[in-house]
Amino acid sequence: MKQRLLIVLFALSLFFTSCGSDNDLVGNWIKSSSFEGRARSGAVSFVIGDYAYVGTGYDGKDALKTFYKYSLQDGWSKVQNDFPGTGRREAVAFEANGKVYVGLGVNDDDERLGDFYEFDPSTDTWNSTAIDMTGGPSARQGAIAFSINGVGYVGTGYGFQEGEDRTNLKDFYKFDGSWTKIAYDGEKSRNATAFVIDDKAYIVSGENSMKYVWEYDPSKVSNTFNGWTRKEDLDDDNNWEGVQRSGAVSFVINGKGYIATGRNTGLSREVWEYNPVNDRWDEKTSLESPEVASRENAVAFSLNNRGFVTTGTVSGSGAYFDDTWEFNPTMDEDDKDN
């Protein structure tokens, strides 16, 4: 009887070990056409209509000004006109009233930048004059930006505040043709990631804010509520500590948010899915090894409910990437499409 019990316990241990393995997770990484420009990190991305745009960044030698656009039908092509400001990395981009604004970041001389330039996607052209930054964010890098209903939002990052040394920041601003400072309940942080689902923004993790997720709903802003809600923490109480990271990317597919790449104590290969309906995270198939290299400071975008990750680096290694990968969250892993 004792021997039978030991056999049963051993079988159960194998079962639960198998259930926790990556082989039982769902999701598939599919090789797509490589980014057409120089391999780079710290670029920005934005989506207008059927096109995703990727530009600026750093190639290991220079801070860049070039932009490329991607469509599901045509692949990658260069935007004729380069970004008109100083080349930079760790900038931000957002859409407001049909135009796109790119700014902030850091240049080749490690100087933080505070300017923004306007891009018209209808003509693929830039306004060569920087926009008025009165009332807007100060110079910084590693900030976050997002757009909701034609209004842009920018906040956090790494820069300077009056009377302080270079530091993590928590100030936040909205742009609808002019800048207005808004309240933010979160922590001072940099290199967080943000995505938007159903007109609500979700800010996830980042340096100095690893375990936090904040939701912003501008439709609920009132005299008594500033629109921010702290969601469930990314801690071991929920077994979600694997979501924690900085320098990650995020994208949205069918009403769920996905976070990938980035760094915690080391580079992370884990991929997690967020469901805003029940405020829950579920682990998905990791970056497929060895085909999809671990990386940080990449970019991601969604087109037609399909999520893509491209560019990035491994800090200190001299490795910069131009490969592009599509993630399908409902398929089983399949090496044949790598």
Side-chain angles (χ1 to χ4, degrees):
M1 177 65 73
K2 186 176 180 179
Q3 185 177 14
R4 288 182 180 177
L5 179 60
L6 289 173
I7 292 173
V8 169
L9 290 174
F10 179 70
L12 286 173
S13 70
L14 288 177
F15 172 77
F16 287 115
T17 300
S18 175
C19 286
S21 71
D22 196 58
N23 291 334
D24 296 301
L25 301 176
V26 178
N28 187 39
W29 289 93
I30 305 164
K31 178 74 171 177
S32 187
S33 57
S34 294
F35 176 69
E36 195 167 286
R38 292 187 200 173
R40 64 190 69 193
S41 72
V44 299
S45 65
F46 56 87
V47 173
I48 298 291
D50 295 329
Y51 287 93
Y53 293 78
V54 175
T56 66
Y58 180 71
D59 66 358
K61 180 181 179 182
D62 299 311
L64 304 172
K65 303 168 67 170
T66 51
F67 264 83
Y68 294 79
K69 62 182 181 179
Y70 176 82
S71 76
L72 299 176
Q73 294 75 29
D74 303 323
W76 292 99
S77 60
K78 190 177 186 301
V79 175
Q80 182 175 2
N81 297 305
D82 290 346
F83 176 73
T86 302
R88 64 194 67 197
R89 55 182 169 86
E90 297 182 50
V92 296
F94 64 86
E95 183 269 336
N97 299 319
K99 302 291 179 63
V100 175
Y101 298 87
V102 175
L104 305 183
V106 59
N107 65 16
D108 281 334
D109 296 320
D110 198 34
E111 297 170 334
R112 264 123 301 274
L113 304 168
D115 52 350
F116 273 85
Y117 290 83
E118 181 186 84
F119 178 73
D120 187 343
S122 67
T123 59
D124 266 4
T125 58
W126 294 90
N127 186 332
S128 61
T129 303
I131 68 169
D132 185 0
M133 287 295 296
T134 303
S138 58
R140 66 193 67 195
Q141 65 190 100
I144 54 174
F146 54 86
S147 302
I148 300 175
N149 293 327
V151 177
Y153 297 86
V154 178
T156 69
Y158 187 57
F160 295 88
Q161 290 280 18
E162 186 175 352
E164 299 182 25
D165 293 328
R166 190 184 304 175
T167 184
N168 294 325
L169 306 175
K170 66 168 289 181
D171 50 334
F172 235 94
Y173 305 82
K174 72 175 183 179
F175 181 82
D176 55 6
S178 60
W179 291 100
T180 305
K181 190 173 184 178
I182 65 172
Y184 175 51
D185 291 343
E187 300 68 35
K188 292 183 177 182
S189 67
R190 57 172 162 163
N191 297 329
T193 189
F195 54 85
V196 175
I197 299 174
D198 292 334
D199 299 330
K200 300 180 184 69
Y202 297 88
I203 298 174
V204 183
S205 208
E207 293 182 40
N208 199 53
S209 55
M210 283 288 190
K211 72 175 185 178
Y212 300 113
V213 179
W214 287 91
E215 176 192 85
Y216 181 66
D217 185 350
S219 71
K220 293 183 177 180
V221 174
S222 67
N223 292 332
T224 58
F225 181 58
N226 59 21
W228 294 98
T229 301
R230 180 170 159 180
K231 312 304 285 184
E232 286 281 341
D233 287 348
L234 305 173
D235 54 27
D236 54 10
D237 290 342
N238 295 306
N239 292 319
W240 296 342
E241 61 269 33
V243 185
Q244 297 182 16
R245 64 195 72 188
S246 66
V249 298
S250 57
F251 50 92
V252 175
I253 302 174
N254 291 323
K256 294 180 179 179
Y258 296 86
I259 185 168
T261 69
R263 177 182 294 274
N264 192 329
T265 53
L267 291 175
S268 176
R269 300 190 64 82
E270 292 183 12
V271 179
W272 288 79
E273 174 189 85
Y274 179 69
N275 187 342
V277 175
N278 57 13
D279 189 21
R280 308 302 293 175
W281 291 88
D282 289 304
E283 190 175 1
K284 309 296 286 187
T285 300
S286 298
L287 302 178
E288 293 179 17
S289 180
E291 293 84 6
V292 189
S294 301
R295 66 193 70 192
E296 58 193 310
N297 298 324
V299 296
F301 52 85
S302 300
L303 284 173
N304 195 27
N305 268 320
R306 294 166 62 179
F308 297 84
V309 175
T310 189
T311 67
T313 188
V314 178
S315 293
S317 71
Y320 292 84
F321 302 109
D322 61 3
D323 51 338
T324 302
W325 294 87
E326 179 181 354
F327 182 67
N328 186 313
T330 62
M331 289 177 62
D332 290 329
E333 182 178 349
D334 184 355
D335 293 337
K336 294 180 181 178
D337 48 26
N338 294 162

